[in-house]
Amino acid sequence: MCNRSVLPLLLALAGLAATAQQRPVRGYFADGKGALRALTGTPGAWEAPVVVPEGVLSAGYDGDILWYKTHHHIHLRPNGGSWVSLPAPKGPARGKRSEAGSGIRFLFPQSAETGELDPETLQLHIEKQEGNDTDWPEWIGPGLRAIRERGELLAVDSEDASSLVPLAELPPFRLLYRDGTAEVPVSGTFVMPPAAPGESSTARFRIRNTSSTLIVITRLSIDPSPFRTFDQFFPPRTVEAGGFVDFSIRFSPTAPGEYSSTLHINDFTVTLIGSSTTSSSIEIETPDGWQWLKAGEKFSLGSVERRSRLTWGLRITPPAAAAITGDGFRLLPGDETVAYMVEFVSDRVGLNQGILQVENRSFPLEVNVTDFAPPKPALQWTSETGAARQVRFRVKLSEAARAEVAGLLTLTFTPESGLPDDAAVVLLPNAVRSLTMRFPEGATESAEMTLQTGTTAGVVRLRIVIGPHSAEETIRIAATPVVLTQAKASLASANAQVLLTGYDTARTASKISFTFYLKSGQAAAPGRIDADVRTAFAEYYKTVSGSTFTLRAHFPVSGTHTELGSVEVEVVNSAGSVSTGRLRFE
């Protein structure tokens, strides 16, 4: 039999010499029937599981290099190295250590050639055989050589003690039927679940490697018939010791009758048996017309909004009893045109599944339940907007919420160019810039909420997102002349004091002017007093967020202070000036 290019799969054999399980691996050999086998156990209790089931002409292993020969290639792997496949003369081979002891030498009897393996480059140098050298023992493991006599194979150790190596054709794996979570052994026959003509039944299987070494599955097939494999691996496939691979079989008869076929797994065979009898046809009415259902095949009944009720007509020809299971599904009596009505209503969003049972046949059904479309939000100011304000607002919904709905409320502030963020811009009372809002079923608007606008020029943006819908409102804080929220003047003994509180949205206050007046109404000497405060305010703004300030100015008074009656203050920034008017001394 020709080699089927099994080398790519044997790359997984990188640790063959160390794959011992409960029974140690002592060597590898060709069994003379096309297979590469592992030698496990101990003398007198040898086992020889198949590693490669076909295409192997000869093999050897001396503890340092494992090799096997196929028709035109030799495949080898040094311990701790990788597999290499090299072209070689056709036919079997024998191998032994070279005289230098660092490499391996091969004999190819069919072509009367020898090959020297370079241990450094792993290249094979071929030349014609010289002489009749017959000293080519078959090394199958460290200190073990093989002797073949009358169809039997003996393993001979370094003391010339020999023991028989059994070559029984027992498969090194088990076929298991996967019944839910249970694994049921399969022997020579398996009966598939019945299926009506035009429908199908399925069964799942597992191939488990029960040997102590690797195996290769080179065949997985079924003779032509209504039986087919699916959800399968594709041979050749290496299975680790103790590992497994899965596949499934589908039985799809086209007419009533009894059916059988043969499943092949390497040389292991199983007779598959299936039966099909005439059954009622099952049809369900959809918007696209009557649809024929197939047992075992999932059928989608489409989508429906949660809490909405859907019904479909069900025809069974000839009539037969039916039942349905699954949350949200009910089977109601029909009328003269249909045997039953399938009804569905559910509050659970997502795929909802049910099973229709007719004559011991199962018809899986599914309905996709969608959530209510969320209402559209809108933002509504309920108080005046502006700088340094606590602005009240509500979130209104386009319709009453049909179920609890959540939305994300976010507040952002974009200062004018060159200005910093204003930390005072927050949602109250928790001083945050985002929060999740929840609207209970039936709600049409939120409770009144509050945001703080801050004192820095820029744009305050409020946004609410509910599902795919959003709404946004903005408040523009303009760069204006300084706003004074409090201005007081006091006089005590020989000292006049002016107290100013306010904010500077432009953060550019540069000059403050003071003009004192006597009680007679005349300006007091020395007249208008100007103070350059540009640097002082610039340094102050570096230490605060926003632009609120409190300024206290002191002036010594010479002469009789009781003659002073008032003071007028003017503050200048880049947007203009503001005056307090005359402040009477308190």
Side-chain angles (χ1 to χ4, degrees):
M1 183 179 295
C2 313
N3 175 41
R4 290 190 179 180
S5 186
V6 296
L7 179 63
L9 288 170
L10 287 175
L11 292 175
L13 291 172
L16 271 177
T19 57
Q21 306 294 318
Q22 288 79 9
R23 299 179 65 80
V25 177
R26 299 286 300 278
Y28 295 90
F29 64 93
D31 66 358
K33 299 179 181 180
L36 174 66
R37 293 176 178 258
L39 183 64
T40 68
T42 57
W46 295 121
E47 290 183 0
V50 172
V51 176
V52 179
E54 58 185 13
V56 178
L57 302 180
S58 54
Y61 179 57
D62 63 0
D64 292 323
I65 294 180
L66 168 64
W67 63 271
Y68 70 95
K69 179 69 171 61
T70 55
H71 191 55
H72 287 293
H73 288 79
I74 191 163
H75 314 284
L76 51 91
R77 176 187 175 274
N79 283 344
S82 302
W83 279 97
V84 176
S85 178
L86 302 175
K90 64 181 180 179
R94 287 290 182 90
K96 68 177 181 179
R97 278 290 167 187
S98 62
E99 294 181 0
S102 59
I104 190 169
R105 187 173 178 80
F106 294 98
L107 171 66
F108 304 99
Q110 191 168 329
S111 61
E113 292 175 294
T114 60
E116 185 81 21
L117 179 68
D118 187 325
E120 299 296 330
T121 64
L122 293 181
Q123 296 297 312
L124 192 62
H125 303 285
I126 305 297
E127 59 185 20
K128 279 296 183 180
Q129 181 183 10
E130 297 181 2
N132 295 315
D133 185 2
T134 59
D135 184 21
W136 292 88
E138 184 179 353
W139 292 105
I140 62 175
L144 282 176
R145 55 191 173 87
I147 296 180
R148 302 174 186 269
E149 296 179 349
R150 297 183 296 276
E152 293 183 340
L153 187 143
L154 300 175
V156 182
D157 62 19
S158 58
E159 298 180 356
D160 288 334
S162 63
S163 55
L164 181 66
V165 177
L167 298 177
E169 295 297 328
L170 294 177
F173 58 82
R174 296 184 73 185
L175 178 64
L176 304 166
Y177 166 58
R178 299 173 63 198
D179 184 9
T181 57
E183 296 183 352
V184 181
V186 177
S187 55
T189 303
F190 183 81
V191 179
M192 290 286 294
E199 297 179 358
S200 62
S201 65
T202 62
R204 299 182 304 158
F205 297 90
R206 172 165 291 169
I207 301 170
R208 185 178 292 280
N209 181 358
T210 55
S211 72
S212 59
T213 186
L214 300 172
I215 61 171
V216 179
I217 304 300
T218 59
R219 182 180 184 184
L220 173 66
S221 64
I222 300 175
D223 292 342
S225 64
F227 305 90
R228 296 286 187 275
T229 58
F230 72 103
D231 283 348
Q232 67 184 84
F233 63 91
F234 293 95
R237 178 69 173 270
T238 298
V239 185
E240 299 281 348
F244 62 86
V245 287
D246 293 336
F247 69 98
S248 298
I249 293 178
R250 178 178 287 121
F251 172 50
S252 304
T254 57
E258 300 294 326
Y259 296 87
S260 67
S261 189
T262 302
L263 167 67
H264 299 269
I265 305 174
N266 287 0
D267 295 328
F268 179 70
T269 60
V270 176
T271 300
L272 301 175
I273 297 174
S275 63
S276 177
T277 58
T278 302
S279 302
S280 299
S281 64
I282 313 299
E283 297 172 278
I284 197 163
E285 188 177 21
T286 71
D288 297 326
W290 289 94
Q291 302 293 319
W292 181 38
L293 301 185
K294 294 184 179 181
E297 293 188 12
K298 188 176 295 182
F299 186 82
S300 174
L301 295 172
S303 296
V304 62
E305 192 175 65
R306 61 186 293 197
R307 300 182 189 170
S308 295
R309 189 179 308 275
L310 285 184
T311 57
W312 301 269
L314 183 68
R315 291 197 305 211
I316 304 177
T317 310
I324 199 167
T325 58
D327 292 341
F329 290 89
R330 284 205 308 165
L331 202 59
L332 305 176
D335 53 27
E336 64 276 2
T337 61
V338 296
Y340 298 95
M341 296 296 296
V342 177
E343 179 186 81
F344 176 82
V345 60
S346 177
D347 198 34
R348 185 170 66 86
V349 174
L351 281 179
N352 289 251
Q353 298 180 337
I355 300 291
L356 175 67
Q357 298 281 349
V358 181
E359 297 175 327
N360 297 320
R361 296 150 65 201
S362 297
F363 301 86
L365 304 174
E366 70 176 20
V367 179
N368 182 39
V369 178
T370 60
D371 208 347
F372 298 126
K376 297 179 180 179
L379 291 165
Q380 182 183 69
W381 303 124
T382 58
S383 68
E384 187 177 352
T385 63
R389 290 181 180 273
Q390 291 186 357
V391 180
R392 294 185 295 277
F393 66 94
R394 292 182 187 273
V395 177
K396 288 185 168 290
L397 302 180
S398 59
E399 60 178 339
R402 289 190 283 170
E404 183 183 75
V405 64
L408 180 63
L409 182 68
T410 56
L411 177 66
T412 58
F413 175 66
T414 305
E416 285 196 355
S417 177
L419 297 181
D421 187 25
D422 191 339
V425 181
V426 292
L427 293 166
L428 299 176
N430 296 324
V432 296
R433 286 192 174 182
S434 68
L435 57 85
T436 298
M437 300 185 64
R438 299 193 179 278
F439 299 84
E441 183 176 348
T444 58
E445 65 179 16
S446 70
E448 194 171 63
M449 305 178 70
T450 305
L451 69 86
Q452 178 70 55
T453 58
T455 57
T456 303
V459 177
V460 177
R461 182 173 285 103
L462 186 64
R463 189 167 190 259
I464 177 70
V465 177
I466 299 178
H469 309 303
S470 64
E472 185 175 285
E473 291 289 340
T474 60
I475 301 172
R476 180 166 186 80
I477 309 300
T480 62
V482 171
V483 176
L484 296 176
T485 59
Q486 186 180 31
K488 297 175 62 177
S490 60
L491 186 64
S493 184
N495 182 63
Q497 177 178 275
V498 177
L499 180 67
L500 301 177
T501 300
Y503 58 87
D504 175 11
T505 60
R507 293 170 66 98
T508 56
S510 58
K511 185 174 72 170
I512 300 180
S513 300
F514 301 87
T515 304
F516 291 87
Y517 293 90
L518 301 175
K519 289 179 179 180
S520 62
Q522 294 180 332
R528 182 183 179 98
I529 302 171
D530 294 327
D532 186 344
V533 294
R534 186 187 311 274
T535 301
F537 267 92
E539 290 299 319
Y540 168 74
Y541 287 143
K542 291 179 181 179
T543 66
V544 297
S545 176
S547 62
T548 59
F549 65 87
T550 297
L551 181 145
R552 183 177 284 105
H554 295 273
F555 296 88
V557 178
S558 61
T560 305
H561 68 276
T562 56
E563 295 180 3
L564 288 177
S566 63
V567 63
E568 183 175 354
V569 183
E570 182 184 59
V571 184
V572 177
N573 72 356
S574 61
S577 63
V578 63
S579 175
T580 64
R582 294 190 183 186
L583 301 174
R584 292 175 60 87
F585 284 111
E586 298 177 356

